[in-house]
Amino acid sequence: MPIAATVRQLPRSAILHAADSARLQALVQRHGMRLGAARFVAGETLDECVAVLRRLNEAGLHANTTLLGESTRDEAGAEAVTRAYEEVLDRLVGEGLRANVALKLTHLGLGVDEQLASRNVERLVARAERLGTFVRIDMEHSAVVDVTLDTYRRLREQGHTAVGIVLQSYLRRSEADLEGLLPLRPNVRIVKGAYLEPPEVAFPDKPDVDRVFLRLVERALEGGAHVAVATHDEAIVEHVKRRVAETGVDRDRFEFQMLYGVRSGRQQALAAEGYKVLVATPYGPDWFPYLMRRLAERPANLGFVLRNAVRR
């Protein structure tokens, strides 16, 4: 059986569990980007990433970037990450790129101290405002949803506007969370969700996740939010296009977001139709967990990586 056909049968949970394997991570990262991770990751350095962002802009696409990594273990590590993001913000604006930043609170020290992460993200959001750009706080696993939402609300209450949030449609709580955010007129990205969660926390079946995704998008638009529709699902893309046309939603109220290396042709086609399309374009040496989540979302992508490994 071909590799791609074989790996399509792998359960999502098996791939996500593999993301926690230190042995597998050491094996994969020993061969670096050559195994095929470069399809989904814009290099290991900021210079490499900037070159990719420029090419995306030249193709008519917007972008965000993320310094890959999670769960910083001490204050010094969180400070180093925060300084790295300050450099990223300065570089994006200095290069004149149509790109902003997405980041994780655990990377900024949430696991060390909630106040530490709060101070670091406020520092970055304030810098983004001074530079005229934007920071989105990514949503992570369900255990940190409350603190992530609280941090976002606190930033907005402090008067910061250059900051956005994310909701995951596979979490059973997300519709209630959206209602709580709507009075802030948030900039919210809707995603399906990529972490391994128990069924009492997250819908296990794709049809349920898809239905909630569409309800979240429609309710967010109805409630005055700016909505980033983050999906590669063609049925959802077409539904959103029809819905905004029927309801007269201005195109500056929403955007499509897709991942670097996934459906690149469709990204450009949507941009050619006049929609804003943002490509999530991460970089950094700690790319293994990110790659595994991308493979879990679509296990056939693992065939691409394995074929590259076999050729070497």
Side-chain angles (χ1 to χ4, degrees), residues 60-303:
L61 301 165
H62 295 250
N64 71 26
T65 192
T66 298
L67 173 59
L68 292 170
E70 300 175 19
S71 302
T72 302
R73 297 181 180 179
D74 54 42
E75 188 169 347
E79 173 64 20
V81 171
T82 304
R83 288 184 179 178
Y85 269 119
E86 288 177 329
E87 180 185 359
V88 172
L89 289 167
D90 292 349
R91 185 79 179 273
L92 296 180
V93 173
E95 296 270 354
L97 296 168
R98 296 194 306 278
N100 55 49
V101 158
L103 50 77
K104 292 180 168 61
L105 291 183
T106 58
H107 207 189
L108 298 181
L110 181 60
V112 180
D113 178 69
E114 180 180 337
Q115 293 304 312
L116 172 66
S118 181
R119 289 194 302 272
N120 286 338
V121 73
E122 196 278 335
R123 175 173 149 190
L124 292 172
V125 169
R127 193 182 193 95
E129 286 177 337
R130 290 194 298 272
L131 292 168
T133 187
F134 180 82
V135 169
R136 188 177 302 279
I137 303 173
D138 273 330
M139 192 59 74
E140 304 180 64
H141 55 84
S142 60
V144 299
V145 170
D146 281 326
V147 67
T148 303
L149 292 175
D150 288 346
T151 299
Y152 175 74
R153 290 191 190 96
R154 190 158 51 245
L155 288 166
R156 293 298 309 276
E157 289 165 0
Q158 291 169 351
H160 295 294
T161 57
V163 61
I165 192 65
V166 178
L167 293 176
Q168 301 169 113
S169 70
Y170 76 156
L171 292 183
R172 296 179 182 273
R173 60 176 290 169
S174 289
E175 289 185 273
D177 287 336
L178 175 62
E179 292 301 322
L181 291 173
L182 283 178
L184 299 173
R185 298 180 70 86
N187 184 316
V188 58
R189 179 203 290 154
I190 308 299
V191 303
K192 292 187 180 181
Y195 292 88
L196 189 60
E197 301 283 0
E200 62 269 22
V201 171
F203 297 106
D205 298 321
K206 183 180 183 298
D208 293 323
V209 176
D210 290 352
R211 279 192 290 272
V212 174
F213 189 105
L214 290 173
R215 287 204 298 266
L216 288 169
V217 170
E218 292 178 1
R219 178 64 183 125
L221 289 170
E222 177 187 273
H226 179 94
V227 185
V229 183
T231 185
H232 303 99
D233 189 319
E234 187 63 21
I236 289 178
V237 169
E238 289 301 318
H239 178 98
V240 171
K241 288 169 61 178
R242 288 193 301 271
R243 183 66 175 172
V244 297
E246 292 166 358
T247 56
V249 172
D250 291 338
R251 290 193 179 185
D252 62 1
R253 288 272 319 285
F254 75 97
E255 63 194 67
F256 290 108
Q257 294 192 358
M258 296 185 180
L259 297 170
Y260 177 65
V262 182
R263 302 199 71 198
S264 300
R266 187 61 176 126
Q267 295 169 14
Q268 293 194 16
L270 283 169
E273 293 175 33
Y275 296 100
K276 179 180 177 181
V277 180
L278 182 145
V279 182
T281 312
Y283 81 99
D286 296 327
W287 47 262
F288 176 77
Y290 174 85
L291 173 64
M292 296 304 287
R293 283 198 291 274
R294 300 294 76 76
L295 300 182
E297 289 170 346
R298 188 170 185 267
N301 286 332
L302 184 54

